[in-house]
Amino acid sequence: MKFRTFAAFVGPSIFLMVLFIAAPLVTVFLQSFQLNQPIVERVEVETCTPGFPAQKCVTEVKTQPLLDENGNVRTTSTWVGFESYANVLQLDRVAEAISDGRPGRILTIDFWKALRFTLTFTLVTLPLVIGVGLAIALAVNNLTRALRGQIIFVSLLPFIITPVIGALSIRWLFIGDGILTSLLESWLDRDISMFAQGWTIEAMMLFYRVWHVAPFAFVVFYAGLQTVNQDTLESAIIDGASRWERLRYVIIPHLMPLIVFIALIHLMDAYRAFEEVVGFSSQAHRITLQWLTYDYLTPDDSGNRSISRASASAMLTMVGIVILLIPLLRRSWRDHRGG
Amino acid sequence: MKLKTLAIGVALSLMSSGAYAACSFENTTPIKSLSAGFEAWKSVTDAMAECGNFEAELDQEFRTKQPSALAANPALYQIGGVSNGTVTPLLNEGLIRPLDDLIAEHGQGLSENQMIKIDGKTMAVAMMVNTQHLMYRKDIFDEVGIEVPKTWDEVIAAAQKIEEAGVVEYPLGATMKSGWNLAQDFNNMFLGYGGSFVNDDSTPNVNSEVGVKALETMKKLTQFMDPEYLVSDSTYVQQQFQQGKIAMANLWASRAGAMDDESESQVVGKVHAAAAPLAMEGGAPATTLWWDGMVIAKNITDEEAEAAMKLIVEGLDTEMVKANNDDAIWLIPGYEPSRLAEGAIATVNASPAPASYPSTSQMGLMHTALGNELPAFFTGERDAKATLEAVEAAYVTAAKEAGVLE
C-alpha cells in the first residue's frame, strides 16, 4: 500500500486517539504529581436562617476561598512528587499493620481493599466467562439448525442490556424481600438477607459479570467453531478419539488465539469494574479501584474534591491493568513472530 | 371512532398544557431549575411550571452537579434548589447572586423568615425546614402498650418490647446507607452527645469518648433493624414504613407526607411523629436542622434573573401550600401544621434546640471521611476506636489536600 493511502486511512484514527486517549492520559499523569489548592481565608460570617417563629442569626468563623476580580476561585498549584500516590497507597499504615502482626488490617485501607476485590473479581470471572462462553458455543453448535437462531438470540440478551440496568435488575430481585429472596426463604425456610454481608454481595457481583459477559465470549467462540477443520475432526474420530479428546486436542488448540483475545478484553474490562458497585450499592462491603477513583472525584457538599488523589488512583489502575496483561501480550507477541 | 378518541386526546393535552389559569402571569423567558427530587420539590416545581416556559430537573444527585452547572457561563440552570448543606460551594465560589433587589421588586408574598441572609445580603429564599425526627406507628405502640420514647435508651427498650410482641418484621428502620446517609446518622448521634467535629484550628475531633459513645449506641440500634441497613436510604426507610415492615425510625420530616399517600402506603393515618430522641439527658435532640430553598445563578442575564424570581414567588405562594399542605414543614404563609408535622415542630422548639447542620468546608470533608470509613465498624472489620482513628486520618489527608489544614 502506498504510504499516502495508508496515512489517509489511519490518520483520522490516530488523531482521535491522540485527542481522546493520549492527551487526557498525559494530563492525568501530570495532575497526579500536582496539587491544586484554593487560596483560603478565614472570615467571620453572619448567617441568618429560618426558625419558629422568628429568624435565628449566628456569627461564625468560616474558611472561604478567595475570588479574583473575575469571580473565579484563586488557586495555587504546586508539584508534590509522589505525595498523592502515598496518600492513596498509605504504605505507612500497611507497614504498621504488618509490624503489629495483623496483616488483615491492610484490607481496611481503601486502596488495598479495592485492589483485593478487583483482583478476585477479575481472576474469578475470567475462567468462568471463557468456560461458560465455550460451553454455550459448543451446545449451540450441536443443536439442530432450526433451533439455533432462537437460542443465539436468547443467549445474547444479557449482553444487549445496559450494564447498570442489568445490575439493578439483579439487585431488585434480591434486595429486602425481593422475589428471589422470598423464594429462597420459603424454600430453605430461613431468613435470608443478601445485602447484609460482603460475601453474598460479592457472589452476586461475580454472577452478574459472568452472566453479562459470557454471551460475548459465546459469539466469538461460536464463530471460531465454524472454522474448525472438519477433515482433522473426522480423522480424529477414525483414530478413535472420544468427544472430550477431540475437544482437548483439536478444538481448543484451534480456538486458542480467540481464547487469548477474550481473556485480554475481559481482563481489561473486569479490572475497571464500576457498574457493579453502583448497581449493587456495595460500597459498605466491596469497592473496586475504578469506584475509588470516582469517589475521589465526587465533590462533597462543600464542593471539595480530590483531583490529585483521583489522578494518582487512575494511574495506579492503569499500571495494574498493564501488569495483568503482560503474560497474555507476550504470548500473542510470540505467536505473532512465530507465525 | 378512532378519530374521535384522537380528537379528545388532543383537546385534553391542549387543555393541560395551555392551562395557565393557576398562575398569575405568563412566563415568556425560558427558565430551568435543578433541585432535589422529594415530594415538596415536585409540588413547588409543578406550581412554577403552570406559568409556562419552565423546566424542572428533579435529581437526588443535584448536590454533585450543581456547582459545575452554575459555574458555566451562561449557567445551565437559572434556579437552583439548595439546602443549608449544599449551598456552601455556591456561596464560596460566588456562583449565586444577592436577591435583595429582586425581592424588593417582586417578592411581596415572601415572609422575612424565609430570607437566608449571609452578612446581611439575602442569598436564598427558604421554603421549608427539614429535620430527622422520630416517626412511629401509633397503632403498634398502643397495642404493645408503650409510651413514645424520648431518649435513644427508651427507643432501645421500646424496640425490645416490640420485638418480643412480634407484631412487625423489624422494630426499627434507619437511614444508614453507607456514604452520606450513614455519616449523617452518625452526625446526629454525635451532636446529640454534645460532640464537635473539628477544633478551631481545623484539626479533627471525632476520635473521642463522644465519638465512641455515638458509634456504640448506633451499633446497639442495628440489632433491631433489617440486616441490610447499610443499603437503606431515606426512600428505602419510607417504603419500609409504607409497607408496614417497621414500627419506628428517625426519618426526614420531608418524608412524612408519603405515609398518608393512599396510592403507596398501607399505613395511612397510623404513623405519628414526635421529637427526635435525646442521646443524653439534658442534651439537645440527636438531630440537625435543615432548610431547603431556592437560589438564582449569577451567570445569567438580569432578564432571566427577574423571570426566575417571579417564578419562585409563584411557586412559593399560599395557593401551592394549601394544595400540598402535608408535603413539608413549609415556611410559607398559609401553612397549617398537621399531625405529621408535630414531630418536626417539637424538635425545632426543644430546649436546648438542636443545631443547624454545620455547613463548612471542614464539615464537607469530615462528612465524606465518615461516610467512607464508618461502614467498616458496622461490618465488624474494625472496632470503634480504630474506625474513628481512620476517620481522622482520612480527614487530615483530605483537609491538607483542600488547603484548609496546614
Side-chain angles (χ1 to χ4, degrees), chain A residues 139-160:
Chain A
V140 171
N141 204 32
N142 289 327
L143 270 178
T144 58
R145 277 192 187 276
L147 281 174
R148 276 190 203 174
Q150 289 88 314
I151 298 288
I152 291 176
F153 175 72
V154 170
S155 28
L156 278 182
L157 277 180
F159 190 55
I160 298 170

Side-chain angles (χ1 to χ4, degrees), chain A residues 156-184:
Chain A
L156 278 182
L157 277 180
F159 190 55
I160 298 170
I161 294 170
T162 314
V164 174
I165 305 296
L168 282 177
S169 8
I170 294 188
R171 166 205 166 107
W172 285 325
L173 289 177
F174 285 105
I175 198 165
D177 286 332
I179 303 177
L180 287 186
T181 311
S182 304
L183 197 73
L184 281 176

